[in-house]
């Protein structure tokens, strides 16, 4: 097998085998067939990526077909949203089609099946049908109406179509086998009566085809070569083929290509609900503001929160195509958006929990406009001017009256560097009657060449603009919110999934447009929300600079002995554990690398620069240790560690290395 063949996923292997066995490449055709009964969510992006990705790989058409067979739950709003989402992801469909386009053809074929003795009208109640269908371990029994004559079935079916009967009085069933071990083959329903207006066909029809009857025949009508769907449809394949093979006899001259159904594992994401029915409940009960609420896993919600098409496509690429169900950690999705925005988002300064700093030796009437780099990852991003004045805001957490040696921010008697500005020293504080600090009095030093450990972001009070800041956390506190059969998934809703704050921003953000994205330095990535106006700016927090859930995540109870850290690692210092993780790093799978990275980022908070610097001299062949060192260094720099020549030299050597992971980590600093 060639290297190229080894890189193929199992679906591509199936296609390549079909091509090798005589299928003409120009006969390849795929489709993405959503039901327009809700908004697309992150789980759908895998199916979208697979079908449209195959279209791109084989230069084959991909249809967007709406399987609109249930007018009670389908709306034009959902059709429009689905089209918008797919286009936003960067995919183009060959044809926009609807199963409702085929209602007459499906009806005609159903009539032919009645004539052939393969379908009959059943007049039992739904309760009676459910009872006679049996169980997975007990065979079903035939309907008392199964032996109706062809003439009677045709008459009843035509009268059903004419609207003579109320809903629930009759259904059309396929006549297969009530003793089949596959319950889906026990005379499945093909049509039911619904006196409901359809969003496209209006009141033309009062009988509507069932999904299993419509879906495969729509594939056949469109001459889809490979019908790809998620694993829950695997038991349906037998029925898919049964319908297909019977209809093939009616239309093989005009429609020579019988489609082939194959299944892949759907995308399951931790801390996330993937059921459209349950997502609709969140909307209807007001837990979220709508389908596009930035806490929702819908594509429109992710877009509004600030996720990019490229980050989602990268995520799907990393997840890959599998045959078995698994749960992907949501941190992988968050990693992909961080990686994307790190390259593209301009850096700006904003303070979200302010405390006032008065620079007592800076003239009261003076102001300066200092130069600040927009994005050190993008040479074309250029520079901007930020104003500096006597009174500024910094974050409350960036100051302590007294602090230990590992606190690299501002403390009484200590010095820090203000980003893009001067070095200041804290001399005294002013407190209110409750003992809360209201002002920090500092002096500034124009000698910016001095070496200090901490660097803080800040905003000039005089020039600051205000904005509403919406900080989002995970919508559910449980890793698998709908897995507990004894509890309603709503019990796991995170009451703190949305926090509203007033932010104080540098004035360069005064004229931002909806959708623009920025890194608020040391705080995270933010984008301008749809609700934002010139009079009231609104920013959404897309994601933090690092995974804040890594240290909160409870350890699984299963396989406890296997998962808990080895005793000797618990006793080691943080730097020793980082070294140990680094030794294994390059041999780990990508998802495990992400977990190791999160652990290193947490450990880095307990490491001093004196402990880390000796690892700068690690041998070239020990790439994993150098990667771990870079990850830890990045955290320390974000927490205020001042760069020096040794750090710069270490980073530059890493950028010039042959190891791609090492280069990527170095380029991210």
């Amino acid at each position: 097998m060639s290297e190229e063949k080894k890189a193929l996923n199992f679906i591509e292997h199936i296609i390549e085998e079909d091509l090798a066995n005589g299928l003409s490449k120009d006969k390849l055709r795929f489709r993405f067939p959503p039901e327009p009964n809700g908004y697309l969510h992150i789980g759908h992006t895998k199916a979208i990526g697979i079908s449209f990705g195959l279209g791109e790989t084989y230069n084959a058409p991909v249809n967007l077909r709406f399987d609109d067979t249930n007018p009670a739950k389908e709306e034009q709003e959902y059709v429009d949203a689905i089209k918008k989402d797919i286009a936003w992801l960067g995919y183009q469909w060959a044809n926009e089609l609807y199963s409702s386009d085929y209602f007459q053809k499906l009806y005609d074929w159903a009539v032919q099946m009645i004539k052939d003795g393969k379908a009959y009208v059943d007049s039992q109640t739904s309760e009676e049908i459910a009872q006679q269908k049996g169980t997975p371990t007990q065979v079903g029994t035939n309907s008392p109406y199964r032996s109706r004559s062809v003439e009677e079935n045709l008459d009843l079916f035509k009268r059903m179509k004419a609207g003579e009967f109320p809903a629930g009085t009759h259904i059309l069933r396929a006549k297969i086998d009530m003793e089949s071990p596959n319950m889906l083959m026990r005379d499945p329903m093909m049509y039911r009566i619904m006196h409901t207006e359809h969003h496209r066909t209006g009141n033309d029809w009062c009988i509507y085809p069932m999904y299993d009857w419509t879906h495969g025949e729509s594939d056949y009508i469109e001459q889809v070569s490979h019908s790809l769907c998620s694993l829950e449809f695997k038991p349906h394949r037998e029925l898919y083929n049964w319908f297909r093979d019977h209809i093939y006899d009616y239309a093989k001259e005009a429609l020579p290509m019988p489609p082939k159904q194959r299944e892949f594992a759907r995308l399951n994401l931790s801390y996330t609900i993937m059921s459209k029915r349950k997502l609709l409940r969140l909307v209807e009960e007001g837990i979220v503001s709508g389908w596009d609420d930035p806490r929702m896993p819908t594509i429109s919600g992710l877009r509004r929160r600030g996720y990019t098409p490229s980050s989602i496509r990268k995520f799907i690429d990393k997840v890959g195509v599998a045959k078995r169900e698994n749960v992907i950690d949501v941190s992988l999705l968050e990693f992909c958006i961080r990686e994307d925005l790190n390259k593209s988002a301009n850096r700006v300064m904003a303070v979200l929990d302010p405390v006032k700093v008065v620079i007592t030796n800076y003239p009261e009437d003076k102001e300066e406009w200092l130069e600040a780099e927009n994005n050190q990852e993008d040479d074309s991003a250029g520079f901007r001017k930020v104003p500096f004045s006597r009174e500024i805001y910094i974050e409350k957490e960036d100051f302590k009256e007294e602090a230990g040696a590992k606190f690299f921010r501002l403390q009484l008697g200590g010095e820090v560097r203000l980003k893009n500005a001067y070095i200041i020293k804290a001399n005294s504080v002013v407190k209110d009657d409750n003992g809360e600090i209201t002002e920090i009095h500092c002096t500034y030093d124009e000698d910016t060449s001095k070496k200090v450990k901490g660097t803080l972001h800040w905003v000039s009070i005089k020039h600051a603009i205000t904005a509403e800041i919406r900080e989002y956390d995970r919508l559910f506190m449980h890793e698998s919110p709908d897995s507990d059969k004894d509890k309603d998934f709503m019990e796991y809703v995170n009451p703190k999934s949305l926090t509203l704050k007033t932010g104080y921003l540098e004035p360069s953000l005064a004229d931002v447009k909806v959708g623009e994205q920025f890194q608020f330095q040391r705080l995270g990535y933010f984008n301008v929300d749809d609700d934002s106006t010139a009079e009231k700016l609104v920013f959404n927090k897309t994601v933090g600079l690092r995974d804040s859930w890594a240290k909160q995540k409870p350890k699984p109870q299963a396989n406890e002995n296997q998962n808990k850290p080895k005793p000797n690692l618990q006793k080691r210092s943080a730097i020793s554990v980082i070294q140990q993780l680094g030794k294994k790093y390059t041999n780990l799978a990508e998802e495990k690398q992400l977990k190791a990275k999160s652990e290193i980022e947490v450990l880095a908070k307990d490491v001093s620069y004196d402990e880390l610097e000796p690892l700068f001299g690690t041998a070239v062949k020990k790439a994993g240790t150098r990667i771990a060192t870079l990850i830890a260094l990045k955290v320390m720099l974000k927490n205020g560690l001042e760069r020096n020549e040794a750090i710069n030299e270490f980073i530059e050597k890493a950028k010039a290395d042959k190891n791609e992971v090492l280069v990527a980590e170095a380029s991210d600093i």
Side-chain angles (χ1 to χ4, degrees), residues 579-597:
Q579 285 181 276
Q580 184 68 25
L581 291 167
K583 289 177 182 178
K584 304 175 182 178
Y585 200 90
T586 53
N587 295 324
L588 297 175
E590 189 165 27
E591 194 169 340
K592 290 186 176 180
Q593 281 186 354
L594 290 175
K595 291 182 178 179
K597 182 174 181 177

Side-chain angles (χ1 to χ4, degrees), residues 472-495:
Y472 296 101
D473 204 343
R474 295 178 184 174
L475 186 54
F476 295 98
M477 296 181 290
H478 194 284
E479 195 167 14
S480 183
D482 58 351
S483 63
D484 192 336
K485 295 180 181 178
D486 298 325
K487 285 191 176 183
D488 183 2
F489 76 97
M490 298 286 271
E491 293 183 39
Y492 296 115
V493 169
N494 181 2

Side-chain angles (χ1 to χ4, degrees), residues 67 117 140 163 173 177 338 431 455 512 558 620:
D67 280 340
R173 298 176 72 176
D177 181 6
R338 280 193 200 96
K431 298 182 180 181
T455 300
V512 293
V620 172

Side-chain angles (χ1 to χ4, degrees), residues 141-381:
T141 55
N142 287 344
S143 164
Y145 301 100
R146 199 173 196 264
S147 58
R148 272 176 166 156
S149 67
V150 170
E151 291 73 23
E152 186 179 4
N153 283 321
L154 285 173
D155 176 65
L156 286 170
F157 190 48
K158 290 176 182 177
R159 290 166 66 192
M160 285 168 61
K161 178 180 182 293
E164 291 187 26
F165 306 114
T169 52
H170 304 290
I171 62 170
L172 184 71
R173 298 176 72 176
K175 188 185 288 188
I176 306 180
D177 181 6
M178 290 303 294
E179 295 187 1
S180 172
N182 183 348
M183 291 189 67
L184 294 169
M185 300 296 287
R186 297 181 187 178
D187 291 9
M189 191 190 311
M190 295 175 65
Y191 277 89
R192 77 285 208 196
I193 300 170
M194 293 181 72
H195 295 283
T196 305
E197 185 175 347
H198 190 279
H199 71 98
R200 294 189 74 247
T201 62
N203 293 306
D204 292 349
W205 295 85
C206 61
I207 57 170
Y208 289 96
M210 298 301 293
Y211 182 85
D212 277 330
W213 164 239
T214 311
H215 178 76
E217 282 42 71
S218 297
D219 287 343
Y220 180 45
I221 291 169
E222 294 170 16
Q223 289 291 273
V224 169
S225 60
H226 296 80
S227 175
L228 308 173
C229 52
S230 49
L231 275 180
E232 65 262 35
F233 288 97
K234 190 167 187 177
H236 295 247
R237 193 203 292 186
E238 186 179 0
L239 179 57
Y240 182 99
N241 292 344
W242 190 90
F243 279 136
R244 178 199 65 189
D245 294 345
H246 280 83
I247 301 309
Y248 184 69
D249 288 337
Y250 304 153
K252 56 187 175 185
E253 297 301 324
L255 302 171
M257 168 78 75
K260 175 187 291 187
Q261 176 178 308
R262 289 296 180 266
E263 308 83 18
F264 55 86
R266 66 179 181 179
L267 173 60
N268 298 301
L269 203 62
S270 64
Y271 297 97
T272 308
I273 290 288
M274 294 294 195
S275 161
K276 280 193 282 188
R277 175 177 56 82
K278 292 178 179 178
L279 293 175
L280 177 59
R281 188 176 161 196
L282 292 170
V283 174
E284 290 178 336
E285 295 188 19
I287 303 299
V288 295
S289 61
W291 284 98
D292 68 343
D293 187 297
R295 291 167 291 180
M296 290 280 273
T298 54
I299 297 175
S300 57
L302 291 168
R303 176 171 61 242
R304 186 171 176 182
R305 185 160 174 171
Y307 277 77
T308 61
S310 57
S311 68
I312 293 175
R313 291 180 67 155
K314 182 69 173 176
F315 169 67
I316 295 305
D317 185 55
K318 286 179 179 290
V319 169
V321 182
K323 293 183 179 181
R324 295 184 179 180
E325 296 282 8
N326 60 344
V327 178
I328 305 300
D329 197 314
V330 69
S331 62
L332 179 60
L333 177 61
E334 293 167 345
F335 168 81
C336 290
I337 185 60
R338 280 193 200 96
E339 189 175 51
D340 192 37
L341 291 180
N342 180 58
K343 299 171 185 174
S344 61
N346 282 351
R347 279 58 165 159
V348 295
M349 293 192 290
V351 176
L352 307 186
D353 187 18
V355 62
K356 183 177 181 180
V357 172
V358 179
I359 304 171
T360 56
N361 63 335
Y362 194 90
E364 291 187 26
D365 57 349
K366 183 179 179 181
E367 64 178 53
E368 296 177 81
W369 288 80
L370 307 174
E371 191 169 76
E373 189 175 13
N374 285 328
N375 185 353
Q376 63 269 31
E377 301 295 326
D378 181 1
D379 292 337
S380 65

Side-chain angles (χ1 to χ4, degrees), residues 554-579:
K555 291 184 173 62
Q557 297 299 311
N559 302 320
E560 190 171 350
N561 292 333
Q562 177 183 339
N563 291 335
K564 69 181 182 181
K566 296 178 181 179
N568 63 328
L569 286 183
Q570 288 181 314
K571 296 177 183 178
R572 288 182 177 179
S573 64
I575 192 66
S576 296
V577 180
I578 288 174
Q579 285 181 276

